[in-house]
Amino acid sequence: MKTFSISMISLIAMTGLAFAQAKTTTTTSTGSAAAGVKVDAKAGGAAAGAKVDAKGGAALPVAPPAPPAPPKPPAEIAAALKAMGRTKTCVGQGMGPDMQMVAFKGTVSQKADLDGWFIRQNIVMNMGKGKTASKMKMEMLSTWDAKIGKWRVVGVSNDGGTTVGTADMKDGKYEMVAEMTSGMGTASFKDHGDMTDPKNIKFWGEMSMDKGKTWIKVYEQTCK
């Protein structure tokens, strides 16, 4: 064979070096190395980062550092759930498919999810009556982002819509600014909430189809 692999060349070189060291290195009766050979006085000749066995002088492996503790969910999530409660019955008015406000009744429930890192809200609203009746469903996920000092919110609904935005929640007041995308296109959305009375929580939302120039109310509700 006319060619050698890199690993074969390295193996031959290391073998030759070890053989040469065995012939030229001797120790005195006191255990010091022969002249011409340098010894690490601090580590007793052991490789850097290795411990030395006091009995035999052999280098012992150093245990790797312990892995860092896994991060914990933000404390703000548990505090927010306590303020919001678990399940509420809600009544109010909302904009139907014909862009007209109709009465609705439904439930809003929330719980910690994804190992405590998110608040999951399940929203179900029965809107209108008779032939014009419809059911609106939404799933919302919220988590606290300490870097920006706000809640990050993502939502999906049963009409193919999505909601992505950020929110503030302080002293029982809630304010969200988001972008909503559905079959109607993309719209700006603001959500306002008052949770200072846990037994009488109020929310209302408004939407803009012209990038914030004009706003129209799309729903209002009271939850108990």
Side-chain angles (χ1 to χ4, degrees), residues 24-34:
T24 58
T25 303
T26 60
T27 57
T28 65
S29 58
T30 59
S32 59

Side-chain angles (χ1 to χ4, degrees), residues 11-222:
L11 180 61
I12 293 173
M14 291 175 64
T15 304
L17 178 60
F19 179 74
Q21 288 179 336
K23 290 186 63 178
T24 58
T25 303
T26 60
T27 57
T28 65
S29 58
T30 59
S32 59
V37 179
K38 294 183 178 180
V39 178
D40 186 347
K42 294 182 179 179
K51 294 181 179 180
V52 178
D53 187 343
K55 295 182 179 180
L60 301 177
V62 177
K72 295 181 179 180
E76 286 80 359
I77 291 178
L81 277 172
K82 184 177 180 180
M84 296 164 68
R86 295 294 177 173
T87 303
K88 302 289 184 181
T89 299
C90 305
V91 295
Q93 296 183 62
M95 186 175 291
D98 58 357
M99 303 297 289
Q100 299 298 314
M101 297 293 282
V102 297
F104 66 73
K105 183 178 181 180
T107 59
V108 177
S109 60
Q110 44 261 331
K111 65 177 182 178
D113 205 350
L114 297 175
D115 296 330
W117 282 91
F118 284 83
I119 295 175
R120 178 183 290 275
Q121 282 185 299
N122 181 276
I123 303 167
V124 179
M125 296 296 170
N126 297 301
M127 305 182 67
K129 296 180 180 180
K131 295 181 179 180
T132 61
S134 63
K135 179 173 287 187
M136 187 272 289
K137 299 179 181 178
M138 289 189 70
E139 292 282 341
M140 304 288 287
L141 286 170
S142 305
T143 189
W144 174 253
D145 190 331
K147 292 182 179 180
I148 63 174
K150 292 180 179 290
W151 292 84
R152 287 186 284 109
V153 183
V154 178
V156 293
S157 59
N158 64 335
D159 61 354
T162 59
T163 302
V164 179
T166 59
D168 294 300
M169 192 186 315
K170 185 177 181 181
D171 299 329
K173 300 296 180 67
Y174 181 85
E175 294 290 333
M176 182 181 75
V177 177
E179 293 293 313
M180 297 181 66
T181 302
S182 66
M184 297 174 59
T186 298
S188 301
F189 183 77
K190 293 181 181 179
D191 211 13
H192 315 276
D194 186 344
M195 300 177 291
T196 53
D197 182 359
K199 297 182 179 180
N200 192 33
I201 294 176
K202 296 180 179 181
F203 271 86
W204 66 278
E206 53 186 333
M207 179 178 67
S208 173
M209 297 294 292
D210 54 11
K211 298 183 178 180
K213 294 180 181 179
T214 58
W215 295 85
I216 57 173
K217 183 180 287 187
V218 293
Y219 88 95
E220 60 181 358
Q221 68 181 20
T222 300

